[in-house]
Amino acid sequence: MKPTILSYAVFILFIITTQSIPSASVHVVRDIYGEKVLNNVPYYIGPVIWARGGGIKLTNTKDHKPVCPSYVVQDPAEVNKGGHFTFTLSIDGEHMYLQTSSILGIDSGLPKGLCEVSTFWKIDDLEAKAPSNLITIGGIFEDDYSCFQVVDYPKPTSPKIHSYMLQLCPSYCGGGPPRPCFNVTLYQDKGVRHLATGTGTPFEFVFQKA
Ligand SMILES: *[C@@H]1O[C@H](CO)[C@@H](O)[C@H](O)[C@H]1NC(C)=O
């Protein structure tokens, strides 16, 4: 039997429908322009509406005194994009693009101070009350206190813009008993907006290629 136009059309429809059903909530992360975010490549991250402050950056001062390791904070000025950060998936194999709901490390690049041996983001003490649960650098890739994932923001500010939130998931990297992931929020400490784990509104952010 010769294939008809109709059988081709049915076949194509079959491909389209099976391809568009997600097998899990794992999918490619997209930047502010809708482009796929590359794994292991530097990006700026910042709020959806930049009038709510600038991008995320490091600071090596707290209360006007030098601190080490540096804190991960939001630049107060909306014109500033902040620093750039590299998101690296920890799953096996070469992945070209970043995925949601997949364990990754967030790297700040080369150490800028003498005390900064490692530049992965980490949290010091999960059980501590704020401000001890602020995010700093000095973490180790795939360590339970540096075990982050990017997830879709549940109620995005704009349906047209891909926005995300971060979670810290120690038990996914073998740390302690199984427990839910911690949301990453903005925690205001003496006028400085820190990234921290907490129960407040999760920090909604977008990716922009550096
Ligand atoms: C994390 O944030 C989401 C979205 O706001 C919320 O539904 C969830 O309960 C939060 N989880 C925790 C552990 O606070």
Side-chain angles (χ1 to χ4, degrees):
M1 194 183 79
K2 264 189 171 176
T4 61
I5 300 277
L6 183 68
S7 65
Y8 278 125
V10 169
F11 180 63
I12 287 165
L13 196 66
F14 170 78
I15 289 175
I16 291 166
T17 44
T18 49
Q19 292 298 302
S20 60
I21 297 165
S23 53
S25 60
V26 179
H27 52 255
V28 170
V29 174
R30 289 182 183 269
D31 71 10
I32 195 160
Y33 305 112
E35 303 286 334
K36 292 174 182 171
V37 169
L38 292 155
N39 182 28
N40 213 5
V41 166
Y43 279 81
Y44 297 108
I45 61 167
V48 181
I49 297 170
W50 287 58
R52 290 181 192 154
I56 299 299
K57 64 171 189 178
L58 300 182
T59 182
N60 58 6
T61 58
K62 192 170 195 305
D63 309 327
H64 308 290
K65 293 190 200 87
V67 283
C68 197
S70 296
Y71 286 96
V72 180
V73 300
Q74 183 183 23
D75 196 296
E78 68 262 33
V79 292
N80 293 335
K81 284 183 177 173
H84 41 73
F85 302 100
T86 301
F87 291 66
T88 305
L89 292 171
S90 74
I91 46 180
D92 292 333
E94 289 285 305
H95 274 77
M96 186 145 179
Y97 301 111
L98 210 63
Q99 293 175 4
T100 58
S101 306
S102 305
I103 290 307
L104 48 81
I106 307 168
D107 191 5
S108 308
L110 293 171
K112 291 174 186 71
L114 286 175
C115 75
E116 290 169 356
V117 284
S118 161
T119 52
F120 281 94
W121 291 17
K122 74 161 182 0
I123 205 114
D124 264 332
D125 183 358
L126 282 170
E127 315 305 336
K129 292 268 176 278
S132 310
N133 52 10
L134 306 181
I135 294 175
T136 66
I137 61 168
I140 298 160
F141 186 52
E142 293 182 324
D143 183 66
D144 39 336
Y145 283 19
S146 301
C147 192
F148 290 93
Q149 65 177 0
V150 171
V151 294
D152 290 311
Y153 200 78
K155 287 180 187 138
T157 298
S158 164
K160 294 197 190 89
I161 298 172
H162 296 271
S163 63
Y164 301 93
M165 57 188 255
L166 279 173
Q167 291 185 325
L168 181 72
C169 309
S171 50
Y172 294 5
C173 290
R179 56 178 159 190
C181 299
F182 297 82
N183 290 339
V184 172
T185 66
L186 281 177
Y187 175 81
Q188 185 128 347
D189 185 39
K190 300 195 182 82
V192 179
R193 278 183 249 172
H194 286 262
L195 284 190
T197 56
T199 51
T201 308
F203 173 56
E204 182 187 14
F205 69 94
V206 293
F207 287 84
Q208 197 172 344
K209 203 163 179 214

